Amino acid sequence: MPIVVNLDVMMATRKMSLNELSEKVGLTLSNLSILKTGKAKAVRFSTLEAICQVLECQPGDILEYVE
């Protein structure tokens, strides 16, 4: 898949666990895990916005296009 999700990298950089991010963003652990592993087929802008707000990053820090 040409879109790579670097959520785990950003979480490690911010020293934040999946549980902590889940609580702060308001997503279930399973949905966040699906996104983190790159198995998600879509991401809502509101979800991306909440993640970026909590991790203090830009969408491009989380999503990357790789040919």
Side-chain angles (χ1 to χ4, degrees):
M1 179 183 234
I3 301 293
V4 177
V5 180
N6 294 316
L7 184 57
D8 53 347
V9 175
M10 287 307 300
M11 288 170 48
T13 303
R14 302 296 193 257
K15 295 181 172 73
M16 189 174 294
S17 70
L18 195 62
N19 286 332
E20 187 178 354
L21 184 62
S22 171
E23 288 174 12
K24 290 184 177 188
V25 173
L27 286 175
T28 64
L29 264 170
S30 59
N31 284 340
L32 206 49
S33 180
I34 289 169
L35 179 60
K36 184 180 140 200
T37 57
K39 294 180 182 176
K41 299 290 181 195
V43 180
R44 291 179 187 217
F45 281 145
S46 58
T47 300
L48 188 57
E49 178 184 358
I51 291 171
C52 288
Q53 192 172 36
V54 170
L55 293 177
E56 298 177 356
C57 65
Q58 295 294 314
D61 296 329
I62 297 172
L63 301 175
E64 178 183 4
Y65 177 75
V66 179
E67 288 190 44

Coordinates of all heavy atoms in Angstrom, one line a residue:
M1 N 0.9 -1.2 0.0 CA 0.0 0.0 0.0 C 0.9 1.2 0.0 O 1.8 1.4 0.8 CB -0.9 0.0 1.2 CG -1.8 1.1 1.4 SD -2.8 1.1 2.9 CE -4.4 1.2 2.2
P2 N 0.6 2.2 -0.9 CA 1.5 3.4 -1.0 C 1.4 4.4 0.2 O 2.2 5.2 0.3 CB 1.1 4.0 -2.3 CG -0.2 3.4 -2.7 CD -0.3 2.1 -2.0
I3 N 0.3 4.3 1.0 CA 0.2 5.2 2.1 C 0.7 4.4 3.4 O 0.2 3.4 3.7 CB -1.3 5.6 2.4 CG1 -1.8 6.3 1.1 CG2 -1.4 6.5 3.6 CD1 -1.2 7.7 0.8
V4 N 1.7 5.0 4.0 CA 2.3 4.4 5.2 C 1.9 5.2 6.4 O 1.9 6.5 6.4 CB 3.8 4.4 5.1 CG1 4.5 3.8 6.4 CG2 4.3 3.6 3.9
V5 N 1.4 4.6 7.4 CA 1.0 5.2 8.7 C 2.2 5.2 9.7 O 2.6 4.1 10.1 CB -0.3 4.6 9.3 CG1 -0.7 5.3 10.5 CG2 -1.4 4.6 8.2
N6 N 2.7 6.4 10.1 CA 3.8 6.4 11.0 C 3.3 6.8 12.4 O 4.1 7.5 13.1 CB 4.8 7.5 10.5 CG 5.5 7.0 9.2 OD1 5.8 5.9 9.0 ND2 5.6 7.9 8.2
L7 N 2.2 6.4 12.8 CA 1.6 6.7 14.1 C 2.5 6.2 15.2 O 2.7 6.9 16.2 CB 0.2 6.2 14.2 CG -0.6 6.6 15.5 CD1 -0.7 8.1 15.7 CD2 -2.0 6.0 15.5
D8 N 3.0 5.0 15.0 CA 3.8 4.4 16.1 C 5.1 5.2 16.3 O 5.6 5.4 17.4 CB 4.2 3.0 15.8 CG 4.7 2.7 14.4 OD1 4.7 3.6 13.6 OD2 5.2 1.6 14.2
V9 N 5.7 5.8 15.2 CA 6.9 6.6 15.3 C 6.6 7.9 16.1 O 7.3 8.3 17.0 CB 7.4 7.0 13.9 CG1 8.6 7.9 14.0 CG2 7.8 5.7 13.1
M10 N 5.4 8.5 15.8 CA 5.1 9.8 16.5 C 4.8 9.5 17.9 O 5.1 10.3 18.8 CB 3.9 10.4 15.8 CG 4.2 11.1 14.5 SD 5.5 12.3 14.5 CE 5.0 13.4 15.7
M11 N 4.1 8.4 18.2 CA 3.8 8.0 19.6 C 5.1 7.8 20.4 O 5.3 8.2 21.5 CB 2.9 6.8 19.7 CG 1.5 7.1 19.2 SD 0.5 5.6 19.0 CE 0.9 4.7 20.5
A12 N 6.1 7.1 19.8 CA 7.4 6.9 20.4 C 8.1 8.2 20.6 O 8.7 8.4 21.7 CB 8.2 5.9 19.6
T13 N 8.1 9.1 19.7 CA 8.7 10.4 19.8 C 8.2 11.2 20.9 O 8.9 11.8 21.7 CB 8.6 11.2 18.5 OG1 9.1 10.4 17.4 CG2 9.3 12.5 18.6
R14 N 6.9 11.1 21.1 CA 6.2 11.8 22.2 C 6.1 11.0 23.5 O 5.5 11.5 24.5 CB 4.7 12.2 21.8 CG 4.7 13.0 20.5 CD 5.3 14.4 20.7 NE 5.0 15.3 19.6 CZ 5.8 15.6 18.6 NH1 7.0 15.0 18.5 NH2 5.4 16.4 17.6
K15 N 6.7 9.8 23.5 CA 6.6 8.9 24.7 C 5.2 8.7 25.2 O 4.9 8.8 26.4 CB 7.5 9.4 25.8 CG 9.0 9.5 25.4 CD 9.8 10.0 26.5 CE 11.3 9.8 26.3 NZ 11.9 10.7 25.3
M16 N 4.3 8.3 24.2 CA 2.9 8.1 24.6 C 2.5 6.7 24.2 O 2.8 6.2 23.1 CB 2.1 9.2 23.8 CG 0.6 9.2 24.3 SD -0.4 10.5 23.5 CE 0.4 11.9 24.2
S17 N 1.8 6.1 25.1 CA 1.3 4.7 24.9 C 0.0 4.7 24.1 O -0.6 5.8 24.0 CB 1.1 4.0 26.2 OG 0.0 4.5 26.8
L18 N -0.3 3.6 23.5 CA -1.6 3.5 22.8 C -2.8 3.7 23.7 O -3.7 4.4 23.3 CB -1.7 2.1 22.1 CG -2.7 1.9 21.0 CD1 -2.4 2.8 19.8 CD2 -2.7 0.5 20.5
N19 N -2.7 3.2 24.9 CA -3.8 3.5 25.9 C -4.0 4.9 26.2 O -5.1 5.4 26.2 CB -3.5 2.7 27.2 CG -3.7 1.2 27.1 OD1 -4.5 0.8 26.3 ND2 -2.9 0.5 27.9
E20 N -2.9 5.6 26.4 CA -2.9 7.1 26.7 C -3.5 7.9 25.5 O -4.4 8.7 25.7 CB -1.5 7.6 27.0 CG -1.5 9.0 27.5 CD -0.1 9.5 27.9 OE1 0.8 8.7 27.9 OE2 0.0 10.7 28.2
L21 N -3.0 7.5 24.3 CA -3.5 8.2 23.1 C -5.0 7.9 22.9 O -5.8 8.8 22.6 CB -2.7 7.8 21.9 CG -3.1 8.5 20.6 CD1 -2.8 10.0 20.7 CD2 -2.3 7.9 19.4
S22 N -5.4 6.7 23.1 CA -6.8 6.3 23.0 C -7.7 7.1 23.9 O -8.7 7.6 23.5 CB -6.9 4.8 23.3 OG -8.3 4.5 23.4
E23 N -7.3 7.3 25.2 CA -8.1 8.1 26.1 C -8.1 9.6 25.7 O -9.2 10.2 25.8 CB -7.4 8.0 27.5 CG -7.6 6.6 28.2 CD -6.9 6.5 29.5 OE1 -6.4 7.5 30.0 OE2 -6.8 5.4 30.0
K24 N -7.0 10.1 25.3 CA -7.0 11.6 25.0 C -7.7 11.9 23.7 O -8.2 13.0 23.5 CB -5.5 12.0 24.9 CG -4.8 12.1 26.2 CD -3.4 12.6 26.1 CE -2.8 12.7 27.5 NZ -1.6 13.4 27.5
V25 N -7.7 11.0 22.7 CA -8.3 11.2 21.4 C -9.8 10.8 21.5 O -10.6 11.4 20.7 CB -7.6 10.4 20.3 CG1 -8.3 10.5 19.0 CG2 -6.2 11.0 20.1
G26 N -10.2 9.9 22.3 CA -11.5 9.4 22.4 C -11.9 8.3 21.4 O -13.0 8.2 21.0
L27 N -10.9 7.5 21.0 CA -11.1 6.4 20.1 C -10.9 5.1 20.9 O -10.1 5.1 21.9 CB -10.1 6.4 19.0 CG -10.3 7.4 17.9 CD1 -9.1 7.3 16.9 CD2 -11.6 7.1 17.2
T28 N -11.5 4.0 20.5 CA -11.3 2.7 21.1 C -9.9 2.3 20.8 O -9.3 2.6 19.8 CB -12.3 1.7 20.7 OG1 -12.1 1.4 19.3 CG2 -13.7 2.1 20.9
L29 N -9.4 1.4 21.7 CA -8.1 0.8 21.5 C -8.0 0.1 20.1 O -7.0 0.1 19.4 CB -7.7 -0.1 22.6 CG -6.8 0.5 23.7 CD1 -6.7 -0.4 24.9 CD2 -5.5 0.8 23.2
S30 N -9.1 -0.7 19.9 CA -9.1 -1.5 18.6 C -9.0 -0.6 17.4 O -8.3 -0.9 16.4 CB -10.3 -2.4 18.6 OG -11.5 -1.7 18.7
N31 N -9.8 0.5 17.4 CA -9.8 1.3 16.2 C -8.4 2.0 16.0 O -7.9 2.2 14.9 CB -10.9 2.4 16.3 CG -12.2 1.8 16.0 OD1 -12.4 0.8 15.3 ND2 -13.3 2.5 16.4
L32 N -7.8 2.5 17.1 CA -6.5 3.1 17.1 C -5.5 2.1 16.6 O -4.6 2.4 15.9 CB -6.2 3.7 18.4 CG -5.3 4.9 18.5 CD1 -5.7 5.9 17.5 CD2 -5.2 5.4 19.9
S33 N -5.6 0.9 17.1 CA -4.6 -0.2 16.7 C -4.7 -0.5 15.2 O -3.7 -0.7 14.5 CB -4.9 -1.4 17.5 OG -4.0 -2.4 17.2
I34 N -5.9 -0.5 14.7 CA -6.1 -0.7 13.2 C -5.5 0.4 12.4 O -4.8 0.1 11.4 CB -7.6 -0.9 12.9 CG1 -8.2 -2.2 13.4 CG2 -7.9 -0.7 11.4 CD1 -9.7 -2.3 13.4
L35 N -5.6 1.6 12.9 CA -5.0 2.7 12.2 C -3.4 2.6 12.3 O -2.7 2.8 11.4 CB -5.5 4.0 12.8 CG -4.9 5.3 12.2 CD1 -5.2 5.4 10.8 CD2 -5.4 6.5 13.0
K36 N -3.0 2.3 13.5 CA -1.5 2.3 13.8 C -0.8 1.2 12.9 O 0.3 1.4 12.4 CB -1.3 2.0 15.3 CG 0.2 2.0 15.7 CD 0.3 1.7 17.1 CE 1.5 0.8 17.3 NZ 1.5 0.1 18.5
T37 N -1.5 0.1 12.7 CA -0.9 -1.0 12.0 C -1.0 -0.9 10.4 O -0.5 -1.7 9.7 CB -1.5 -2.4 12.4 OG1 -2.9 -2.4 12.2 CG2 -1.2 -2.7 13.8
G38 N -1.7 0.2 10.0 CA -1.9 0.5 8.6 C -3.0 -0.3 7.9 O -3.1 -0.4 6.7
K39 N -3.9 -1.0 8.7 CA -4.9 -1.8 8.2 C -6.2 -1.0 7.9 O -7.2 -1.5 7.4 CB -5.2 -3.0 9.1 CG -4.1 -3.9 9.3 CD -4.4 -5.1 10.2 CE -3.2 -6.0 10.3 NZ -3.4 -7.0 11.3
A40 N -6.2 0.3 8.3 CA -7.4 1.1 8.1 C -7.6 1.4 6.6 O -6.6 1.6 5.9 CB -7.3 2.4 8.9
K41 N -8.8 1.4 6.2 CA -9.1 1.8 4.8 C -9.4 3.3 4.6 O -9.3 3.8 3.5 CB -10.4 1.0 4.3 CG -10.2 -0.5 4.3 CD -9.2 -1.0 3.3 CE -9.1 -2.5 3.4 NZ -7.9 -2.9 2.6
A42 N -9.7 3.9 5.7 CA -10.0 5.4 5.7 C -9.8 6.0 7.0 O -9.8 5.3 8.0 CB -11.5 5.6 5.3
V43 N -9.6 7.3 7.0 CA -9.4 8.0 8.3 C -10.3 9.3 8.2 O -10.2 10.0 7.2 CB -7.9 8.4 8.5 CG1 -7.8 9.2 9.8 CG2 -7.0 7.2 8.5
R44 N -11.1 9.5 9.2 CA -11.9 10.7 9.2 C -11.0 11.9 9.5 O -10.0 11.8 10.3 CB -13.0 10.7 10.3 CG -14.0 9.7 10.0 CD -15.1 9.7 11.1 NE -16.0 8.6 10.8 CZ -17.3 8.6 11.1 NH1 -17.8 9.7 11.6 NH2 -18.0 7.6 10.8
F45 N -11.3 13.1 8.9 CA -10.5 14.2 9.2 C -10.6 14.6 10.7 O -9.6 15.1 11.3 CB -10.9 15.4 8.3 CG -10.4 15.4 6.9 CD1 -11.1 15.8 5.9 CD2 -9.1 14.9 6.7 CE1 -10.6 15.8 4.6 CE2 -8.6 14.8 5.4 CZ -9.4 15.3 4.3
S46 N -11.7 14.4 11.3 CA -11.9 14.7 12.7 C -11.0 13.9 13.6 O -10.4 14.3 14.6 CB -13.3 14.6 13.1 OG -13.8 13.3 12.9
T47 N -10.8 12.6 13.2 CA -9.9 11.7 13.9 C -8.5 12.1 13.7 O -7.7 12.2 14.7 CB -10.1 10.3 13.4 OG1 -11.5 9.9 13.6 CG2 -9.2 9.3 14.1
L48 N -8.1 12.4 12.5 CA -6.7 12.9 12.2 C -6.4 14.2 12.9 O -5.4 14.4 13.5 CB -6.6 13.1 10.7 CG -5.2 13.3 10.1 CD1 -4.2 12.3 10.5 CD2 -5.2 13.5 8.6
E49 N -7.4 15.1 13.0 CA -7.2 16.4 13.7 C -7.0 16.1 15.2 O -6.1 16.7 15.8 CB -8.5 17.2 13.5 CG -8.4 18.5 14.2 CD -9.7 19.4 14.1 OE1 -10.6 18.9 13.4 OE2 -9.7 20.4 14.7
A50 N -7.8 15.2 15.8 CA -7.7 15.0 17.2 C -6.3 14.3 17.5 O -5.6 14.7 18.5 CB -8.8 14.0 17.7
I51 N -5.9 13.4 16.7 CA -4.5 12.8 16.9 C -3.4 13.8 16.7 O -2.5 13.8 17.6 CB -4.3 11.6 15.9 CG1 -5.3 10.5 16.2 CG2 -2.9 11.1 15.9 CD1 -5.3 9.4 15.2
C52 N -3.5 14.7 15.7 CA -2.5 15.7 15.5 C -2.5 16.7 16.7 O -1.4 17.1 17.1 CB -2.7 16.4 14.2 SG -2.3 15.5 12.8
Q53 N -3.6 17.0 17.2 CA -3.7 17.9 18.3 C -3.1 17.3 19.6 O -2.3 18.0 20.2 CB -5.2 18.2 18.6 CG -5.4 19.4 19.5 CD -6.9 19.7 19.6 OE1 -7.8 18.8 19.6 NE2 -7.2 21.0 19.7
V54 N -3.4 16.1 19.9 CA -2.8 15.4 21.0 C -1.3 15.2 20.9 O -0.5 15.4 21.8 CB -3.5 14.1 21.3 CG1 -2.8 13.3 22.4 CG2 -4.9 14.3 21.7
L55 N -0.8 14.8 19.7 CA 0.6 14.5 19.5 C 1.4 15.7 19.1 O 2.6 15.7 18.9 CB 0.8 13.4 18.4 CG 0.3 12.0 18.8 CD1 0.4 11.1 17.6 CD2 1.0 11.5 20.0
E56 N 0.7 16.9 18.9 CA 1.3 18.1 18.5 C 2.1 17.9 17.3 O 3.4 18.2 17.3 CB 2.1 18.7 19.7 CG 1.3 19.0 20.9 CD 2.2 19.5 22.0 OE1 3.4 19.6 22.0 OE2 1.5 19.9 23.1
C57 N 1.5 17.5 16.2 CA 2.2 17.2 15.0 C 1.3 17.6 13.8 O 0.2 18.0 14.0 CB 2.6 15.8 14.9 SG 1.2 14.6 14.8
Q58 N 1.8 17.4 12.6 CA 1.0 17.7 11.4 C 0.6 16.4 10.7 O 1.2 15.3 11.0 CB 1.9 18.4 10.3 CG 2.4 19.8 10.8 CD 1.2 20.7 10.9 OE1 0.3 20.8 10.0 NE2 1.1 21.5 12.0
P59 N -0.5 16.4 9.9 CA -0.9 15.1 9.3 C 0.2 14.4 8.5 O 0.3 13.2 8.5 CB -2.0 15.6 8.3 CG -2.6 16.8 9.0 CD -1.4 17.5 9.6
G60 N 1.1 15.2 7.9 CA 2.2 14.6 7.1 C 3.2 13.9 8.0 O 4.0 13.1 7.5
D61 N 3.2 14.2 9.3 CA 4.1 13.5 10.2 C 3.5 12.0 10.5 O 4.3 11.1 10.9 CB 4.2 14.2 11.6 CG 4.8 15.6 11.4 OD1 5.7 15.7 10.6 OD2 4.4 16.4 12.2
I62 N 2.2 11.9 10.3 CA 1.6 10.6 10.5 C 1.4 9.8 9.3 O 1.6 8.6 9.2 CB 0.2 10.8 11.2 CG1 0.4 11.4 12.6 CG2 -0.5 9.5 11.4 CD1 -0.8 11.9 13.3
L63 N 1.0 10.4 8.2 CA 0.7 9.8 6.9 C 1.8 10.1 5.9 O 2.2 11.3 5.7 CB -0.6 10.2 6.4 CG -1.8 9.9 7.2 CD1 -3.1 10.5 6.6 CD2 -2.0 8.5 7.5
E64 N 2.3 9.1 5.2 CA 3.3 9.3 4.2 C 3.0 8.5 2.9 O 2.5 7.3 3.0 CB 4.7 8.8 4.8 CG 5.8 8.8 3.9 CD 7.1 8.2 4.6 OE1 7.0 7.7 5.7 OE2 8.1 8.3 3.9
Y65 N 3.3 9.1 1.8 CA 3.0 8.4 0.5 C 4.4 7.8 0.1 O 5.4 8.6 0.0 CB 2.5 9.4 -0.5 CG 2.4 8.8 -1.9 CD1 1.3 7.9 -2.2 CD2 3.3 9.0 -2.9 CE1 1.2 7.3 -3.4 CE2 3.2 8.4 -4.1 CZ 2.1 7.6 -4.4 OH 2.0 7.0 -5.6
V66 N 4.4 6.5 -0.2 CA 5.6 5.9 -0.7 C 5.3 5.1 -1.9 O 4.4 4.3 -1.9 CB 6.2 4.9 0.4 CG1 7.4 4.2 -0.1 CG2 6.5 5.6 1.7
E67 N 6.0 5.3 -3.0 CA 5.7 4.6 -4.3 C 6.2 3.2 -4.2 O 7.2 2.9 -3.6 CB 6.4 5.4 -5.4 CG 5.6 6.6 -5.7 CD 6.1 7.3 -7.0 OE1 6.3 6.5 -8.0 OE2 6.3 8.5 -7.0

